[in-house]
Amino acid sequence: MPSLDDATRGRPVFGGDYNPEQWPEETWTEDFRLMREAGVNSVTVGVFSWAKIEPRPGARDFGWLDRLTDLAHGHGVGVVLATPTASPPPWMGARHPETLPRDENGQTVWWGSRQQFCASSPTYRRYAAAITEDLAARYAGHPALTMWHINNEYCTHCWCDETAAHFRRWLRARHGTVEALNEAWGTAFWSQRYDDWEEIIPPRRAQYRRNPAQELDFRRFTSDALMECYVAERDIVARHTPLVPVTTNFMPFWSGQDAWAWSAEEDVVSVDIYPDPKDPLGGQYNAMIGDMTRSQARGPWMLMEQAAGPVNWREVNHPKPRGLNRLLSLQSVARGADAVCYFQWRQSRQGAEKFHSGMLSHAGERGRTFQEVKRIGAELALLEDVVGTRATAGIAVLHDWNSWWAGQQDGRPSREVDYQRLVRAWHRALWESGLATDFAHPEHDLRGYRMVVVPHLYLLTDTAIDNLVSYARGGGTLVCGFFTGVADEHDRVREGGMDARLRALLGIGTVHEWWPLDPDESVSCDGFDATLWSEELSTDGGEVVAAYRGGELDGLAAVLRAGRAWYVSTLPSPPALRALLAGIAEEAGVRPVVEGLPEGVEAVRRGELLFVLNHGREPVTVTVPGTHHDLLTGAEVAGPMELERFGVAVLRETAAGRAVASGTAR
Ligand code: GAL
Ligand code: ZN
């Protein structure tokens, strides 16, 4: 099977989306001159080029793409060629309105933007397959082709009649009989019983709350329906070029796709990451998405898109301060990215993204953005040794889309509980403690980890529960956050407030009530403040590590443990969660990557290399034990080293340093 190695060919990939159809061809020549200057070795082309390639049904205009790919090859720039199927041309909607999505109110989603296609539409699929076939046939042997990029950020949802029929086929395969579906969805409540498959529709606009199990299955279906589109195109290009890797770019930590399932269908896992430059924890966000993507990839991954400067889709769009682009780019490399790319190469002058930055911004080649891009390109060229190497972690953070989907529905104890926010809070606590983390699915083999944390898995299948129990019984340290193991795979609540096997493991008797807290409310506990949530639970064998103090829950367990299994029935304030998890990690024998680093300085190990990153806006002095070479400056580092603001060092231990560390040099 092809992999990212086939595209990197031993050097980090650097480049970005290139939408040359916006420019006269003279500009292309200048583009490639500047790309060379910036060390760009890859462009992603064709992502939204459908109307240019197929101006009217069945027509083909590949001339411009021939010239472009040849030009790229002539300049030593590889091409990640995209199927243009994310944005059907206006003629498709006009001639085939059934290809346009309908929202849950039955309203048509029109052309005039992008991504207006219904994943269930046979007409859309037929046109998409035809253009993919012709594109693949034409460029299969092209020397510039390094990778296929299918569609773009698959994200459409549709509630139309074609989708309804498709949903029913999917449900039949999942549930077998209408009776089994009625059982799984709990349709006895509110007279929702279905007598025949044909009565079943997607969860459209309704009078009051819709059936949560139906909604959950619809989420699963939508992810699968989009994946069918991906797989169909992937299979076409793979037939033409079995040795060229295939990817589709994810939106980071996005609810619409079960990325565990999707990643298994990709040769290269790629993602688009846009931390808010104003967010003081933007570095943590970038780290979290990097950890997640690396875990999905089970090895090196591709940063398909980031912004060299501001985006244009937030309320207020902040530019990246000097040095931040470089810091975040190298942070992704540290966490396993072998490709650092952007949306987009040259900033647009027209269209909906004209105020979104590019590598070459409106300020041009003398602009600060481009100057920084050049520096990053030059430095990546020094990091060939990192390519293909692995980053490992002693801790796994468990995450599952099914649980996210089920747990975020209406009609639950508190709307304030936000899945992403909780995962982020737990990852942050570990990140700030300098502990390396992977992500894992609750049914994955966890035995390679000393510690596993479950920030918030409301839904757990029986298989997942047995997996967690056997992991902990086998000597692993397991830490579960509140409202975990409450529902089964059909979103049916388990008795006792939590699955009985988990309660036995965690030393919990009964969860009598959940006591969610108001946004501005906190409750004191031994040593910290509880926020967001609390629980009235009795223990059965568990040892109370911290209790609620005052209020209705006075004296009851907030944090409890039974041996190596821990339960945290609230969201402790950030410093408290950090101290708690750091303490548990220490007991489990998991050490920070480098001990004693100053606040805001991160160390990441990838293969033999140690990345040291300063997330602060001020220079800092850092001491890393041993003697190293900095691959970026060539300098030898022994003793304290200075890191500029947002500065990065990439260190390789010298032979002498290694000997000292292992105690053989005297
Ligand atoms: C991504 C998308 C790109 C561009 C970018 C802007 O979601 O794939 O085409 O729109 O956002 O940030
Ligand atoms: Zn549809």
Side-chain angles (χ1 to χ4, degrees):
M1 257 206 357
S3 73
L4 188 50
D5 293 346
D6 297 293
T8 58
R9 295 167 190 162
R11 51 185 197 169
V13 171
F14 184 57
D17 279 27
Y18 181 36
N19 299 295
E21 55 268 58
Q22 302 174 89
W23 314 102
E25 297 199 13
E26 305 84 78
T27 309
W28 302 0
T29 320
E30 186 188 67
D31 281 330
F32 281 102
R33 173 181 68 78
L34 290 171
M35 284 180 203
R36 284 189 72 120
E37 217 181 290
V40 165
N41 56 31
S42 175
V43 286
T44 303
V45 176
V47 178
F48 296 110
S49 304
W50 200 339
K52 177 102 177 147
I53 298 173
E54 187 170 6
R56 60 204 63 82
R60 293 289 183 263
D61 178 3
F62 284 120
W64 67 278
L65 195 50
D66 292 348
R67 292 191 291 283
L68 187 98
T69 43
D70 290 349
L71 200 60
H73 183 60
H75 287 81
V77 174
V79 171
V80 176
L81 192 54
T83 63
T85 53
S87 202
W91 58 253
M92 196 179 309
R95 291 179 184 232
H96 306 286
E98 75 279 13
T99 61
L100 297 170
R102 297 286 184 103
D103 71 11
E104 53 196 308
N105 299 322
Q107 298 288 319
T108 301
V109 175
W110 297 94
W111 62 90
S113 176
R114 64 178 188 188
Q115 289 157 318
Q116 74 291 354
F117 65 88
C118 167
S120 301
S121 159
T123 312
Y124 165 75
R125 289 188 180 202
R126 198 166 53 245
Y127 276 112
I131 197 156
T132 299
E133 181 73 43
D134 290 357
L135 192 77
R138 190 167 189 101
Y139 297 100
H142 198 287
L145 177 69
T146 58
M147 204 187 299
W148 291 106
H149 176 301
I150 305 294
N151 202 284
N152 189 69
E153 292 186 342
Y154 276 100
C155 64
T156 58
H157 280 58
C158 183
W159 285 258
C160 76
D161 289 343
E162 190 65 56
T163 299
H166 190 194
F167 185 38
R168 288 192 284 269
R169 291 196 296 277
W170 184 93
L171 289 168
R172 265 179 200 259
R174 181 174 175 82
H175 297 284
T177 63
V178 184
E179 290 69 47
L181 176 139
N182 279 311
E183 182 65 32
W185 287 8
T187 57
F189 194 63
W190 283 358
S191 177
Q192 290 174 353
R193 182 186 166 276
Y194 295 99
D195 197 49
D196 186 273
W197 287 108
E198 291 306 308
E199 297 161 6
I200 300 170
I201 54 173
R204 291 177 177 155
R205 183 174 172 189
Q207 173 62 28
Y208 187 48
R209 292 227 157 95
R210 297 177 296 206
N211 182 308
Q214 177 190 10
E215 299 227 36
L216 174 59
D217 268 354
F218 189 63
R219 294 267 200 172
R220 290 169 168 148
F221 157 78
T222 299
S223 176
D224 285 359
L226 288 167
M227 199 163 88
E228 284 174 17
C229 294
Y230 162 75
V231 167
E233 293 184 29
R234 178 203 65 189
D235 288 351
I236 294 171
V237 299
R239 181 157 43 72
H240 287 276
T241 54
L243 300 178
V244 176
V246 186
T247 190
T248 180
N249 51 336
F250 292 127
M251 278 190 260
F253 203 172
W254 186 65
S255 67
Q257 289 161 290
D258 177 346
W260 289 122
W262 282 67
S263 299
E265 302 291 339
E266 294 183 279
D267 300 320
V268 173
V269 176
S270 64
V271 72
D272 305 340
I273 320 183
Y274 293 96
D276 186 346
K278 244 320 184 20
D279 179 355
L281 284 168
Q284 182 267 323
Y285 175 78
N286 204 59
M288 178 179 75
I289 303 303
D291 287 344
M292 202 178 263
T293 309
R294 181 188 64 251
S295 305
Q296 285 157 15
R298 295 173 183 269
W301 53 281
M302 178 166 191
L303 174 54
M304 183 66 83
E305 293 180 19
Q306 59 174 342
V311 299
N312 72 329
W313 41 260
R314 292 197 168 93
E315 291 299 305
V316 178
N317 297 294
H318 303 286
K320 282 191 166 153
R322 182 176 44 83
L324 187 62
N325 179 11
R326 173 175 180 265
L327 172 74
L328 295 175
S329 298
L330 291 170
Q331 189 193 25
S332 291
V333 174
R335 292 191 132 68
D338 275 352
V340 172
C341 300
Y342 295 81
F343 176 85
Q344 59 178 329
W345 159 252
R346 184 186 279 271
Q347 184 171 16
S348 299
R349 292 181 56 205
Q350 291 178 291
E353 296 189 320
K354 60 184 183 295
F355 291 117
H356 188 294
S357 58
M359 299 167 82
L360 185 62
S361 72
H362 293 155
E365 58 180 299
R366 286 200 198 80
R368 172 174 68 83
T369 302
F370 187 66
Q371 295 304 316
E372 292 194 32
V373 162
K374 269 173 41 179
R375 179 176 178 194
I376 297 166
E379 290 184 332
L380 285 177
L382 303 171
L383 297 183
E384 289 193 351
D385 288 358
V386 83
V387 175
T389 62
R390 305 270 157 161
T392 54
I395 302 178
V397 180
L398 300 194
H399 159 55
D400 177 23
W401 270 265
N402 288 270
S403 188
W404 181 6
W405 292 331
Q408 289 301 109
Q409 307 200 68
D410 256 355
R412 60 202 160 105
S414 168
R415 278 202 195 175
E416 292 298 319
V417 174
D418 179 73
Y419 181 86
Q420 269 183 312
R421 192 182 139 203
L422 286 168
V423 173
R424 199 171 165 186
W426 283 59
H427 182 273
R428 173 188 170 183
L430 296 164
W431 183 74
E432 288 180 337
S433 305
L435 297 163
T437 49
D438 280 345
F439 276 78
H441 184 277
E443 294 179 8
H444 283 169
D445 183 353
L446 302 170
R447 286 171 299 179
Y449 297 102
R450 281 176 182 268
M451 177 167 161
V452 167
V453 304
V454 182
H456 188 59
L457 289 179
Y458 157 80
L459 177 156
L460 282 172
T461 62
D462 285 339
T463 313
I465 288 171
D466 291 339
N467 191 40
L468 296 189
V469 171
S470 84
Y471 167 76
R473 299 257 185 253
T477 294
L478 178 72
V479 192
C480 296
F482 69 79
F483 211 45
T484 282
V486 172
D488 72 7
E489 69 191 284
H490 301 304
D491 197 16
R492 191 189 285 124
V493 173
R494 296 175 184 275
E495 279 173 318
M498 179 193 278
D499 176 81
R501 287 158 291 183
L502 273 185
R503 276 186 282 131
L505 178 73
L506 297 165
I508 295 173
T510 302
V511 181
H512 296 284
E513 290 289 0
W514 298 296
W515 289 78
L517 305 178
D518 285 327
D520 49 4
E521 194 182 357
S522 66
V523 174
S524 6
C525 300
D526 296 320
F528 67 92
D529 283 339
T531 64
L532 193 64
W533 188 273
S534 57
E535 288 181 11
E536 179 181 351
L537 55 79
S538 61
T539 57
D540 181 4
E543 171 197 336
V544 180
V545 177
Y548 294 104
R549 295 296 169 200
E552 289 291 332
L553 306 184
D554 188 37
L556 296 182
V559 178
L560 78 159
R561 70 180 297 182
R564 291 196 165 89
W566 294 71
Y567 186 61
V568 186
S569 74
T570 181
L571 178 64
S573 56
L577 186 59
R578 172 176 164 176
L580 178 69
L581 295 184
I584 298 173
E586 192 172 348
E587 198 183 297
V590 190
R591 314 294 313 166
V593 179
V594 173
E595 315 257 356
L597 289 176
E599 192 80 24
V601 175
E602 177 188 19
V604 187
R605 196 170 283 291
R606 181 172 175 196
E608 291 197 320
L609 301 179
L610 181 69
F611 289 69
V612 188
L613 307 112
N614 176 16
H615 289 272
R617 279 165 198 258
E618 299 298 328
V620 291
T621 305
V622 181
T623 308
V624 177
T627 309
H628 297 84
H629 266 114
D630 184 342
L631 269 59
L632 300 179
T633 60
E636 190 177 278
V637 182
M641 92 183 142
E642 169 109 340
L643 282 180
E644 61 182 327
R645 81 184 218 136
F646 298 138
V648 183
V650 183
L651 305 179
R652 190 212 310 273
E653 195 157 34
T654 59
R658 262 198 303 280
V660 171
S662 64
T664 51
R666 282 278 131 78

